[in-house]
Amino acid sequence: MESGGETRRVVVVGGGIAGSLLAKTLQFNAAVTLIDPKEYLEITWANLRNMVEPSFAERSVINHTDYLTNGRIVTSAATNITDTHVWTADGHRIAYDYLVIATGHRDVVPNTKTDRLNQYKAENQKIQSANSILIVGGGPTGVELAGEIATNFPDKKVTLVHKGPRLLEFIGTKASNKTLRWLKSRKVEVKLEQAVDLNSSTLDGSLVYKTSSGESIKADCHFLCAGKPLASTWLNDTILKTHLDGNGRLMVDEHLRVNGRANIFAIGDITDIPELKQGFLAQKHAMVVAKNLKVLMSGGGQESKLSKYEPGSAIALVSLGRKDAIAQFPFATISGCLPGLLKSRDLFVGKTRKNMGLQA
């Protein structure tokens, strides 16, 4: 978009769900640069399905070049920010008029789509060749992985160990209890209020893991499904270091601008908005900031026309295999086929691809 005859430069740091959608949306309104250490967008809520069905990843791992046809992509990590530039690990110095931070959570993944797909195939091989599997962590990742394995490989013995008093502690007890019943009905053994020492010993050809209560669990392999840290430590040495809260999140105003910064926004999991950190809310952040940047880039300082972001209410959808799910809405908790239709079959991959301008 032109203001005073020049195209405005928008730099987006982070190519996850929020950053990629924002870059795609603004690519014909501004000179957009997307900075991301990997060459692709990953629809992260499909990751666990990819492990049991690697071909699913062909659609949920998307090269940035597929949707960002009119922007610049810098495949590197951002390392510093000044009032005018972003610096990257490979030595790029990129000027901006508007900056958007969308680095989300830190995940150690390969740089290319091919290597990522091969990683899923290797994970799948690990599951296929195991008779017994230990899953550590009873949040959404651990629960969904247990559900996927129990559905696709019903003969495998799955044990899920969680240190908390109930599964899915981020949502209500009703949803936790329904999830526990569903997993038990699929022969998943669930152990609560226990931690696991992942240094295993070997007994009769199987690995043996010790829990904090002294129990031994035999399993051929394990998957650690713990929460990932925020990707914000790099901001501690930048002009935004005083804008981080005690949890390492960027403090934003109602327009999703970083507090006190007229031309810097933040979207997705890295924001301090009091809501569940979920993909569909990150997409909403991106669309609010896209609108606001269009207003600001049109000139005239129309602050009154900026859109406000309303924090999302507690809607949570956790897949349980192919056909079932637990859904918590502000007014009810439901389980079974109806929420399963909402999420489990396609995991919103087709819808997300359409949002990115791609074939479902």
Side-chain angles (χ1 to χ4, degrees):
M1 192 169 284
E2 313 255 323
S3 178
E6 64 181 289
T7 302
R8 312 308 280 168
R9 298 162 301 184
V10 174
V11 173
V12 181
V13 183
I17 292 294
S20 59
L21 181 57
L22 178 69
K24 176 254 171 191
T25 305
L26 290 178
Q27 63 182 321
F28 298 105
N29 301 95
V32 172
T33 300
L34 176 68
I35 301 172
D36 193 45
K38 55 185 181 12
E39 295 176 2
Y40 55 87
L41 152 69
E42 180 148 44
I43 302 175
T44 45
W45 53 84
N47 289 9
L48 304 170
R49 176 70 54 82
N50 297 340
M51 287 165 65
V52 300
E53 187 188 330
S55 60
F56 199 77
E58 294 283 354
R59 290 168 57 242
S60 67
V61 179
I62 301 163
N63 281 320
H64 292 315
T65 50
D66 287 356
Y67 65 85
L68 195 60
T69 54
N70 196 46
R72 178 186 177 199
I73 299 161
V74 176
T75 308
S76 186
T79 54
N80 197 10
I81 297 167
T82 66
D83 287 317
T84 54
H85 291 81
V86 179
W87 297 77
T88 64
D90 63 355
H92 280 89
R93 179 171 167 267
I94 302 154
Y96 69 85
D97 297 303
Y98 296 96
L99 174 64
V100 184
I101 308 295
T103 44
H105 283 85
R106 199 176 62 210
D107 203 357
V108 182
V109 292
N111 287 358
T112 69
K113 174 172 177 171
T114 303
D115 287 347
R116 187 63 167 135
L117 295 187
N118 286 337
Q119 194 175 46
Y120 282 124
K121 286 172 189 159
E123 299 272 72
N124 179 256
Q125 206 45 54
K126 182 174 157 185
I127 294 169
Q128 296 257 24
S129 57
N131 292 317
S132 51
I133 297 164
L134 169 63
I135 295 171
V136 181
T141 309
V143 164
E144 291 196 351
L145 180 58
E148 290 283 353
I149 295 173
T151 300
N152 288 274
F153 306 103
D155 295 335
K156 296 188 187 297
K157 174 159 179 47
V158 179
T159 306
L160 189 155
V161 180
H162 181 54
K163 65 183 179 199
R166 61 185 179 90
L167 301 172
L168 305 175
E169 289 167 87
F170 73 105
I171 55 178
T173 51
K174 218 183 236 183
S176 294
N177 293 337
K178 286 183 174 179
T179 302
L180 182 61
R181 284 199 299 274
W182 188 94
L183 289 172
K184 284 183 169 175
S185 76
R186 298 303 190 285
K187 312 256 185 322
V188 175
E189 190 175 353
V190 178
K191 295 178 185 292
L192 298 172
E193 297 187 79
Q194 295 189 50
V196 178
D197 179 359
L198 293 175
N199 295 312
S200 59
S201 57
T202 308
L203 180 71
D204 301 332
S206 269
L207 301 173
V208 178
Y209 300 87
K210 279 268 191 288
T211 74
S212 51
S213 67
E215 280 189 65
S216 295
I217 299 170
K218 280 172 81 169
D220 297 325
C221 66
H222 78 267
F223 290 96
L224 178 60
C225 299
K228 296 181 174 76
L230 281 171
S232 64
T233 49
W234 67 283
L235 292 169
N236 289 328
D237 300 318
T238 73
I239 58 166
L240 297 183
K241 63 185 172 191
T242 58
H243 298 276
L244 294 166
D245 70 7
N247 297 314
R249 298 187 190 278
L250 278 169
M251 296 179 279
V252 294
D253 65 16
E254 60 192 358
H255 308 299
L256 300 181
R257 267 195 297 211
V258 174
N259 286 340
R261 295 276 171 182
N263 64 335
I264 302 179
F265 291 77
I267 54 178
D269 290 356
I270 204 163
T271 62
D272 70 335
I273 297 164
E275 64 186 3
L276 291 178
K277 302 301 175 186
Q278 294 178 299
F280 79 99
L281 295 176
Q283 290 170 327
K284 285 185 175 178
H285 294 188
M287 298 317 289
V288 166
V289 170
K291 275 187 194 168
N292 288 341
L293 285 172
K294 285 175 184 176
V295 167
L296 293 171
M297 290 188 296
S298 66
Q302 301 155 305
E303 289 283 321
S304 61
K305 289 190 179 170
L306 291 181
S307 297
K308 293 180 182 177
Y309 177 73
E310 301 288 339
S313 53
I315 296 173
L317 271 174
V318 178
S319 286
L320 298 170
R322 295 302 168 103
K323 296 187 176 145
D324 293 322
I326 290 285
Q328 178 179 287
F329 299 100
F331 54 84
T333 299
I334 54 175
S335 61
C337 290
L338 178 62
L341 287 173
L342 288 173
K343 183 178 182 187
S344 296
R345 301 212 173 153
D346 175 62
L347 299 175
F348 301 124
V349 168
K351 186 171 187 285
T352 305
R353 286 178 62 87
K354 276 187 181 165
N355 283 348
M356 299 306 293
L358 304 170
Q359 270 193 312

